[in-house]
Amino acid sequence: MSLTVVILAAGQGTRMKSARPKVIHELAGKPLLQHVVDASLALEPDQLITVVGHGADQVKDAMQEQGLIFVEQLEQLGTGHALAQCLDTITPGNKVLVLSGDVPLIRAATLAQMVEQDSEAAVCILGFKPDNPFGYGRIVRHPDATVQAIVEQKDANAEQLDIDECYSGIMLIRGEQLQQLVTSLDKHNAQGEYYLTDVVGIAVGMGESVSAVLCDDPREVSGINDQQQLAAVEAIYRSHQTELLMKQGVKLYDPARVDIRGEITVGRDVEIDVNCVFEGVVSLGDNVRIGANCVIRNTSIGAGSDIKPMTSIDEAVIGRGVSIGPFARIRPGAEFDDAAKIGNFVEVKKSRIGKGSKISHLSYIGDTEMGGGVNIGAGTIVCNYDGINKFKTIIEDGVFIGSDTQLVAPVTVAKNATIGAGSTITKDAPADALTLSRAKQVTINGWSKPVKQKEDN
Ligand code: UD1
Ligand code: CA
């Protein structure tokens, strides 16, 4: 039987105290809803429907181009009402897996286990036993242990509040019963909402059976309703990622002080010092060392490269045996060939730096094509921008640029040229020659130092 996945994501998320819809708040660098979408796609469903409502346009923008079907819930009258909006869209007869946009760590394998179990039950719910059940719906069972109902926190009596088995926000409903169950919901409850959770009691009342799958890792189904829960789930994600890295042989000086907010692949004998943040897709080759306090995003770093402390690298391609930092800023479009050396307080943007070239201190290099074996003196600046347009600088192999030089683009410094320190280069510099532009040094004899003037009262 074919599968339709419905992700409920129309709520505002009042408890987040934010102007942005809850489901687009980020966990590990991507929207909560995106995590749920990714787990759903792994099931290859026939239809993937997302119910949007509060901030619908913002949510749709954040989720572009993934073949999602959006159904709008104009008024947020509850989770049951949200699913009801999809009844006309769901292919009749499909079984429906309902997910919550605010339960982001759910694994595709757990969902597959629910979908694949060949049960007669009209409804199958995913339960778990959280350390603190406050806020979750409790799964009420008959004395013979069969599932009877789900009771929401606000509707539960003292005895029900003691139940440790909670509803995760994830359920599977058989196609045959879907229409009847969802249209039978009412809002006679503490919150005056159409609770999807009531389908359990309704199914039982109709003489149908309801099954429950227990998710043995409660962390996987932690829901996010407020900033504290978001931080807690971020910590769960982080510790999972650092565990994986250590299993692959990475030396983490302190796993609690590394943030992985995306996907990271590593070679052998990689070392990562404290307080590093990795975002997006990052790959680190064999023997790469990342010093303390680095932020690295969408970058590949070749074997043996050494990233020294306090370095920021964004969308760069870094070769083997490269040394960067401390205190370097590498911006999108930087490409470093093997053995390049970038020192402290150097910024590089959209530039290719050839093999073994060195930019050791206090420089800005942007929109530059640099050959190999180049030495850039301290304080060299490429003037690539005239306020309106950006221009290219070409520095060929073997060039030596003296300290405190400005290269006013567009300009080319040809092979093996030397530029004298303190020059402002506005015209192309020829190969193999010394070029400099500098006022002659003079000494003014008889000059005297200014004297301090008397202050007026
Ligand atoms: C819900 C469950 C609760 C369960 C918990 C698990 C109900 C009534 N309660 O409670 O039993 O333990 O999840 O995390 O289902 N949404 C809509 N439209 C609405 C209301 C909500 O799309 O009108 C969406 C929200 O955006 C959210 C999800 O449904 O993604 C869950 O809503 P939320 O208000 O967070 O429910 P909980 O109180 O957490
Ligand atoms: Ca919730």
Side-chain angles (χ1 to χ4, degrees):
M1 205 185 301
S2 295
L3 175 70
T4 295
V5 174
V6 176
I7 306 174
L8 307 184
Q12 177 181 358
T14 325
R15 290 165 278 183
M16 294 297 282
K17 304 277 162 66
S18 162
R20 289 157 64 220
K22 173 169 68 178
V23 294
I24 61 170
H25 278 255
E26 289 191 350
L27 163 69
K30 74 184 181 188
L32 298 180
L33 179 56
Q34 184 68 57
H35 289 266
V36 183
V37 167
D38 289 347
S40 305
L41 288 172
L43 301 175
E44 300 182 352
D46 191 25
Q47 294 179 295
L48 178 46
I49 300 173
T50 303
V51 185
V52 292
H54 182 83
D57 290 337
Q58 277 169 282
V59 177
K60 284 185 201 170
D61 280 354
M63 293 292 121
Q64 274 167 0
E65 293 164 33
Q66 295 169 79
L68 303 181
I69 305 167
F70 290 104
V71 166
E72 209 141 335
Q73 183 194 20
L74 295 175
E75 267 187 294
Q76 285 76 60
L77 302 179
T79 48
H81 181 257
L83 182 59
Q85 309 312 299
C86 304
L87 290 177
D88 292 342
T89 310
I90 294 167
T91 305
N94 272 14
K95 54 183 165 187
V96 177
L97 179 64
V98 185
L99 306 179
S100 278
D102 65 350
V103 181
L105 295 183
I106 185 69
R107 291 178 314 122
T110 305
L111 299 176
Q113 191 195 333
M114 288 177 76
V115 172
E116 280 156 18
Q117 69 162 344
D118 197 21
S119 136
E120 285 299 301
V123 179
C124 172
I125 56 179
L126 183 65
F128 70 120
K129 293 184 175 173
D131 293 337
N132 176 9
F134 182 85
Y136 291 112
R138 310 296 203 280
I139 300 177
V140 182
R141 289 178 182 268
H142 287 293
D144 68 357
T146 57
V147 175
Q148 182 185 353
I150 298 173
V151 181
E152 290 303 297
Q153 169 84 30
K154 289 186 179 155
D155 298 270
N157 61 34
E159 195 187 331
Q160 290 165 335
L161 288 176
D162 277 344
I163 297 173
D164 63 348
E165 193 185 4
C166 294
Y167 170 58
S168 65
I170 293 169
M171 70 166 72
L172 184 72
I173 307 177
R174 277 171 71 103
E176 294 83 348
Q177 285 87 1
L178 177 73
Q179 194 83 22
Q180 191 184 354
L181 289 174
V182 174
T183 53
S184 303
L185 295 170
D186 62 43
K187 46 181 182 171
H188 302 142
N189 53 54
Q191 300 185 77
E193 287 182 3
Y194 296 93
Y195 292 163
L196 179 58
T197 43
D198 284 349
V199 298
V200 171
I202 294 170
V204 171
M206 282 161 48
E208 299 284 350
S209 69
V210 172
S211 65
V213 168
L214 183 74
C215 180
D216 18 82
D217 184 357
R219 300 181 307 171
E220 185 182 336
V221 285
S222 302
I224 295 173
N225 296 318
D226 57 31
Q227 296 288 355
Q228 265 176 297
Q229 287 170 326
L230 178 56
V233 171
E234 183 85 47
I236 293 170
Y237 183 91
R238 179 167 57 230
S239 72
H240 183 64
Q241 295 297 313
T242 51
E243 260 166 46
L244 287 177
L245 284 180
M246 290 184 288
K247 278 186 188 149
Q248 292 172 83
V250 174
K251 175 181 168 83
L252 297 177
Y253 283 76
D254 181 356
R257 285 187 287 163
V258 174
D259 258 38
I260 317 282
R261 302 189 189 142
E263 295 151 38
I264 181 166
T265 52
V266 290
R268 298 186 71 138
D269 294 304
V270 167
E271 287 192 19
I272 300 173
D273 210 331
V274 297
N275 296 331
C276 291
V277 178
F278 297 89
E279 293 182 338
V281 181
V282 172
S283 77
L284 307 177
D286 293 346
N287 298 302
V288 165
R289 188 175 193 289
I290 311 288
N293 301 311
C294 290
V295 179
I296 299 176
R297 185 169 171 272
N298 291 332
T299 289
S300 71
I301 300 180
S305 289
D306 185 12
I307 312 301
K308 300 202 162 78
M310 270 66 80
T311 292
S312 159
I313 306 181
D314 188 6
E315 288 184 30
V317 178
I318 294 164
R320 301 160 72 96
V322 171
S323 162
I324 302 180
F327 295 101
R329 178 170 183 213
I330 311 303
R331 294 170 51 198
E335 278 181 46
F336 299 148
D337 279 356
D338 296 350
K341 178 172 185 278
I342 310 297
N344 47 274
F345 304 107
V346 171
E347 174 178 346
V348 179
K349 182 214 83 169
K350 208 176 173 189
S351 295
R352 188 184 169 81
I353 309 300
K355 194 168 176 182
S357 289
K358 293 181 181 161
I359 314 168
S360 298
H361 332 265
L362 303 158
S363 285
Y364 171 63
I365 303 293
D367 303 305
T368 296
E369 199 55 56
M370 188 184 297
V374 170
N375 193 312
I376 303 285
T380 296
I381 304 289
V382 165
C383 311
N384 58 328
Y385 184 48
D386 62 6
I388 308 287
N389 296 301
K390 302 236 166 93
F391 299 96
K392 270 195 97 157
T393 298
I394 296 170
I395 302 171
E396 294 181 355
D397 291 346
V399 163
F400 181 95
I401 308 249
S403 294
D404 196 23
T405 293
Q406 300 97 54
L407 299 159
V408 183
V411 73
T412 296
V413 182
K415 211 168 171 182
N416 294 324
T418 297
I419 304 293
S423 294
T424 301
I425 300 296
T426 55
K427 288 179 287 199
D428 292 353
D432 302 307
L434 169 66
T435 298
L436 69 166
S437 78
R438 200 195 278 163
K440 276 214 177 92
Q441 180 169 331
V442 292
T443 302
I444 314 289
N445 290 313
W447 176 83
S448 48
K449 283 190 180 177
V451 283
K452 177 96 175 151
Q453 289 182 2
K454 258 194 166 170
E455 272 174 41
D456 291 340
N457 292 335

